[in-house]
Each structure stands twice: as structure tokens, then as C-alpha cells.
Amino acid sequence: MSIVKDFLLQLTLMIIPIFSYFTIILEKVKGDRSIKMIMTLLWGVSILLCMSFPVEYGEGARLDIRFIPLLFVTLYLGMWPGLFLSALIIFYRLASGISMGFYSTVLVLVITLPVILYVQRLFLLVKKDRKVTIAAGLSFLYCLCGMTVFGIMNGFSTTVLKVQSIHLLFTVAVTWFCTVLIEKIRETHQLRLEVQDAEKFRVISELTSVFAHEIRNPMQVSRGFLQLLDEPDLPQHKKEYIKVSIEELDRANEIINDFLAFGKPSLNTYGNINVGEQLKRVITLIQTFSVNQQVEFKSDIEDDCWIEANPQKLNQSLINILKNAVESMPDGGTVWITCHPSGDGNITLTIKDQGIGMNPKQVDRLGSPYYSLKEKGTGLGMMVSYQIIRSFKGRIRVESEEGVGTEFVIEFPHIEM
Ligand code: ADP
Ligand code: MG
């Protein structure tokens, strides 16, 4: 029984870094370099534990899968992390004394590491299935190499060969399983990001017609005044006409700017931004969108509201929430928007409407994919907004009552400027 336990422990040691990467590290850690470093350390710990608690088999045979973390780190993170972990394996092995085992460890690493480095570039380019084959193939090669080196050093015997065959099977199977796992989760993760973009472009196309109309308005006003200025009997309010024309053109320009800012492809860059400023921009944008519905916007936004976020993504999430607020009031109403530092180290944003509201069950389902009560809804807006806000370490609370309205309270960690 204890041998099964040992095998399970080894397997668990592989799975923990994979899940930590996709659930915690990718969400919380910013910057590729930091992620690389943390992952290398995590896999390093996993190697040390693997080597400290190997599977004890038969007479003194010990078996571990330290190679798998090394393989993944080299394939996914590159040469330096790979070399670092190789050094770690060698030094840890050295700590338990120089023996035949130590030499064979070094020899096998010296032979296999260059091979892994050689296929690494190719590995990153190929499709999922090929990746699985390559990783499993490299594992097979490593074990085979280990068996040969051990055989040459100690002579071949059937008992040893049996243990080594089990080692080979286990290592290859775990490599195969973990690569499939990594690639599957990566695929899902990628899909999530793509949904964010797709939803953004859907909102853009929905807003485009309204914008075209909104831009045409100021242009027509300016055109009218220019025509008046051309009248032979000079108009009295010449200065006034010019002023209004310029204002209208500025307005058109602003609308275009806001629209472009929203449509820009979002890079994954974070920075210190003033949510208040962004909120004001988003409100102007959504005001244009809801110009034909009797919706009034009242806002109370303080100046000092700095948070760490990506402005385009933040805007995208705020637009989704404001758009829902407008859409929840088919007969018009008021949307209240506030933004201020709340004193407990957070910035609090509230968006409150007088719309149809939701019952507690509906509030619970908010943010799940494809949940929509609208005839032409996608049910992705809230999901994307939630994802984005959480990625900026934000928290969302929703209070809603049917027939009364809905309030979104969003909190972000405040950055002192
Ligand atoms: P969509 O707007 O495409 O339906 P969302 O994910 O933006 O998708 O919203 C999901 C659902 O949540 C909406 O269909 C609506 O029923 C409900 N909802 C969201 N915001 C509000 C709100 N402010 N008031 C009432 N219901 C809302
Ligand atoms: Mg919506």
C-alpha cells in the first residue's frame, strides 16, 4: 500500500505547481519575469520534495520523477531556468554524498539537457498533440539514458531492469498526463481572454451606429452656422456662431477620441491610473449611447482615486456595467455614479440605477457565462467585467431589488500618489 502512496505523492508534487500557476500566479503576479521566477522556484521545491520522498521499491531501489519539473521548466520557461534546476538537482544529490548514483545523475543530465534545449523552440511552436508527444518522448529518452548509464556502471540485472522499467512507465505516463493537463488548462484560459475581446468588439459594433449619428449632429450644426456666416448681409452674431461651431467640432472630436480609446487593442500593461478620470470618460461615452432614452446621469467623483489597472480593460468593464444600468430602465430614469477613497485603503465606486432590478437568485447568477434575460443579450458582459475587475484585485458587491433598482459597489486597492 505504501508504494501506491509514494507514487501518488510524486504525482501530487507535479500537479500542485500546475494548478498554482493557472489559479493563483497567473492572476496575481504581474510581469513575465516575476512569473518565470516564481514558477522556477515552485518547480524547484517540487524537485527537492520528489528527491526527498522517493518511491521506495524492493531492496534499496528508490525512484523519483525529478526529471518532469526540469523538463517542463526547460520546455516552457527556457534555458536559464532549466540550467538552474539542473544545478539544483546536482547540488542536492551532492549533499547526500558522492557515489555512483551522483555520477550517473550528472551524466544523464549532461546527455539529456542539450536534447531538451534543442527541441525547446520547436516545442513552443507546435500544436497541443505534438507537444504531448514531444514531452513524453523526451521523458522516455531520459529514462532510457538513465537505464543505460546505470547498466554500464553497475552491470545489467533483471531485478534492476524491472525497477527501471516501472520507473520508465511511470515517468512517461505522468509526463503525458501533466502535459495534457497543462495544455487543456491553457486552452481554456486562452478562450477566456478571447471572449473578453469578442465581447468588446460586439459592444463596439453595437455602439458604432449611435456614434455615427452622434458625430453627424455637431457636424450639421457647424455646417449650418458656416452657411449663415456666408450670408451677404453679414449676420449680427458672427462671433457667437463661430464659438458654437468650434464647440460642436470639439465635441465630435471628443466622441471620436473616446471611441478610439475603447476600441484600441488592449495590451497587457498595468499602470497607475485615476479611476475617477476613466469613469468620467466612460460616462460621456455612455451618455452618447443613451441619448434617445430618457436617462440622466448624476455623478460625484473625487479627484484622488488612483489604482493599479489597465485603462482600456477597466473602461471595458465599466461600460458593460453602465450599459446594463441604462438597459434596465426602458422608460428612463437616473443613474447615480460615485467614486471616492473610502478611508480603509480602498477606492469605492458605486453605480446605481432605477431599473427593473433583480431577485436574489438572479443576482447570484450574475457573472456566469451566457446568463442573460434580454432578448438580444449575450450574457457575457458581466462575466467579462467580473473577470477584469478581479484581475485588478477589485471586489464587487451587488445589491438589487425587483422594481426598485440595482447598485454595484466596486472596491479597488488605493494607490498613494
Ligand atoms: P447582457 O447584457 O448581454 O444580457 P450581461 O452579462 O451584461 O449580459 O448581463 C446579464 C444579465 O444580468 C442581464 O441580461 C440582466 O438580466 C441582468 N442585469 C445586469 N445588470 C443589471 C441591472 N443593472 N439591472 C437589472 N438587471 C441587470
Ligand atoms: Mg450587458
Side-chain angles (χ1 to χ4, degrees):
M1 223 26 226
S2 107
I3 190 166
V4 177
K5 259 195 217 161
D6 288 348
F7 272 119
L8 284 178
L9 175 70
Q10 297 273 323
L11 181 64
T12 314
L13 287 172
M14 299 301 115
I15 290 174
I16 290 173
I18 298 178
F19 277 102
S20 314
Y21 174 71
F22 286 107
T23 49
I24 307 165
I25 293 165
L26 216 51
E27 298 263 312
K28 301 274 179 223
V29 183
K30 310 269 145 65
D32 277 354
R33 269 181 77 109
S34 320
I35 292 183
K36 248 188 193 180
M37 247 154 70
I38 294 179
M39 279 321 291
T40 310
L41 291 179
L42 208 60
W43 281 118
V45 172
S46 142
I47 286 185
L48 296 183
L49 289 173
C50 264
M51 291 171 75
S52 307
F53 306 101
V55 182
E56 307 270 356
Y57 187 88
E59 297 95 52
R62 295 161 68 117
L63 175 166
D64 67 64
I65 48 176
R66 68 184 91 154
F67 171 72
I68 297 176
L70 174 66
L71 178 71
F72 286 152
V73 163
T74 319
L75 287 180
Y76 284 105
L77 304 180
M79 182 174 79
W80 292 111
L83 287 176
F84 173 77
L85 288 195
S86 309
L88 184 77
I89 292 179
I90 292 173
F91 280 117
Y92 192 62
R93 192 66 189 72
L94 192 65
S96 55
I98 297 189
S99 61
M100 278 305 235
F102 171 74
Y103 290 119
S104 65
T105 301
V106 176
L107 198 59
V108 174
L109 279 179
V110 168
I111 298 170
T112 41
L113 201 62
V115 183
I116 307 177
L117 288 172
Y118 182 72
V119 272
Q120 195 237 347
R121 271 163 195 270
L122 173 78
F123 178 81
L124 291 179
L125 295 178
V126 296
K127 288 224 172 72
K128 197 179 103 202
D129 293 344
R130 291 282 302 274
K131 277 191 177 139
V132 176
T133 319
I134 291 178
L138 286 170
S139 248
F140 183 77
L141 186 79
Y142 167 84
C143 293
L144 212 59
C145 187
M147 283 164 94
T148 319
V149 168
F150 190 88
I152 292 170
M153 283 178 164
N154 303 296
F156 294 93
S157 79
T158 39
T159 12
V160 174
L161 217 59
K162 206 172 113 194
V163 174
Q164 285 177 334
S165 306
I166 292 174
H167 183 211
L168 184 139
L169 277 180
F170 184 60
T171 313
V172 173
V174 174
T175 311
W176 176 84
F177 173 69
C178 289
T179 321
V180 171
L181 200 67
I182 293 176
E183 290 303 318
K184 265 273 169 244
I185 306 181
R186 253 159 83 104
E187 212 174 65
T188 325
H189 192 78
Q190 199 58 38
L191 219 61
R192 226 176 70 173
L193 295 181
E194 278 164 21
V195 167
Q196 283 192 7
D197 272 345
E199 176 63 11
K200 179 165 113 182
F201 288 115
R202 194 189 63 81
V203 174
I204 289 182
S205 64
E206 210 172 272
L207 297 186
T208 308
S209 56
V210 188
F211 276 107
H213 178 74
E214 270 308 292
I215 291 162
R216 195 174 287 147
N217 271 351
M219 298 221 303
Q220 257 154 9
V221 174
S222 310
R223 187 176 188 280
F225 282 127
L226 286 176
Q227 244 171 355
L228 275 179
L229 287 172
D230 201 26
E231 292 284 309
D233 40 347
L234 214 65
Q236 281 173 342
H237 310 290
K238 193 174 154 192
K239 275 223 161 75
E240 179 71 8
Y241 291 169
I242 294 176
K243 190 171 153 259
V244 176
S245 301
I246 291 176
E247 272 172 13
E248 287 295 304
L249 288 175
D250 282 348
R251 217 174 92 73
N253 200 12
E254 217 168 274
I255 294 171
I256 294 171
N257 278 345
D258 285 347
F259 195 51
L260 287 181
F262 179 54
K264 255 206 297 216
S266 35
L267 302 168
N268 244 344
T269 48
Y270 289 77
N272 294 342
I273 57 169
N274 191 340
V275 217
E277 288 300 317
Q278 300 298 330
L279 201 53
K280 282 180 196 162
R281 297 183 103 200
V282 171
I283 295 171
T284 358
L285 200 83
I286 213 81
Q287 254 169 342
T288 344
F289 165 70
S290 52
V291 73
N292 295 328
Q293 297 152 52
Q294 279 90 46
V295 178
E296 199 184 345
F297 291 85
K298 289 193 175 155
S299 61
D300 175 16
I301 294 169
E302 266 182 48
D303 276 339
D304 177 35
C305 295
W306 293 89
I307 65 162
E308 194 185 5
N310 171 311
Q312 285 146 28
K313 294 210 161 183
L314 179 78
N315 287 355
Q316 185 186 356
S317 65
L318 295 175
I319 284 177
N320 287 342
I321 296 173
L322 279 170
K323 204 164 145 286
N324 281 344
V326 172
E327 285 166 353
S328 77
M329 303 189 291
D331 304 322
T334 309
V335 182
W336 287 274
I337 299 141
T338 70
C339 175
H340 54 85
S342 51
D344 55 356
N346 284 325
I347 298 283
T348 308
L349 261 81
T350 63
I351 296 170
K352 188 174 170 188
D353 63 56
Q354 293 181 306
I356 50 172
M358 287 172 277
N359 61 34
K361 264 205 182 128
Q362 291 168 336
V363 173
D364 271 349
R365 292 205 56 190
L366 210 57
S368 7
Y370 308 113
Y371 169 67
S372 174
L373 296 179
K374 293 171 197 165
E375 209 174 307
K376 283 193 180 155
T378 60
L380 293 174
M382 277 294 116
M383 182 193 81
V384 167
S385 297
Y386 277 29
Q387 275 174 7
I388 293 177
I389 290 169
R390 291 203 183 111
S391 75
F392 302 147
K393 301 195 180 87
R395 279 197 305 255
I396 313 158
R397 211 173 58 238
V398 185
E399 274 157 35
S400 189
E401 199 179 324
E402 275 180 304
V404 179
T406 307
E407 180 173 34
F408 282 87
V409 181
I410 306 163
E411 284 178 328
F412 291 110
H414 190 182
I415 304 247
E416 291 294 342
M417 288 297 283

